[in-house]
Amino acid sequence: MPRFKFRLATLLRLREMARDERRAQLAEAFRAQDLLDEQKRQVDEHLAAVRHRARLSVSPGEINVDRLMETRRFEMILMAQRAHFDQQQEMLSAETERRRQALVEANREVQVLEHLRTRLHDRHRAEEAGREMKFMDEVAQQQVARRERP
């Protein structure tokens, strides 16, 4: 009985490699998103601290205008960084979605080939079972013919 050989096995391996690459690219995008989230969190913490210092510096009594101006400038810088991170977040979200769709497509291509391989393997087994049954019938007929001969 000849062994089953899927003729598109090389293509299947290539598609699996492409799918694995897409999966790695998506994981990379998730890592970048996590890093950006951490940077945004740090900026938010700094911003909260600066605002707290600004509130303390305007308490009743002597006001240091230079320090208040410096605090306000630093707050503006942090707000600009936060806006920049928000913009990067939007671009990263779009890229993550693009990579997710590429992974879905690559996975679908692999599944199509795997389904084809399964169908062809099942057909091969059925054909082999038919051939084996035909061979067994011929052997049985030969044995019956030998017994009937004098």
Side-chain angles (χ1 to χ4, degrees), residues 13-25:
R13 276 195 308 278
L14 289 173
R15 297 258 170 99
E16 287 171 340
M17 288 171 35
R19 178 195 58 195
D20 294 343
E21 185 178 322
R22 301 293 179 273
R23 188 176 290 145
Q25 289 171 348

Side-chain angles (χ1 to χ4, degrees), residues 82-94:
R82 178 72 158 107
H84 177 72
F85 287 151
D86 287 341
Q87 184 181 19
Q88 282 183 325
Q89 183 78 40
E90 288 178 27
M91 292 181 346
L92 191 55
S93 292

Side-chain angles (χ1 to χ4, degrees), residues 1-4 120-138:
M1 167 161 92
R3 201 170 141 236
F4 173 73
L120 291 175
H121 188 253
D122 291 346
R123 183 186 309 163
H124 174 78
R125 280 192 301 196
E127 289 172 356
E128 284 301 312
R131 277 186 236 148
E132 192 174 310
M133 186 63 81
K134 184 177 178 181
F135 175 74
M136 297 299 257
D137 287 345
E138 288 174 4

Side-chain angles (χ1 to χ4, degrees), residues 5-16 113:
K5 183 171 181 354
F6 185 51
R7 292 180 298 171
L8 300 175
T10 303
L11 179 61
L12 178 59
R13 276 195 308 278
L14 289 173
R15 297 258 170 99
E16 287 171 340
L113 285 175

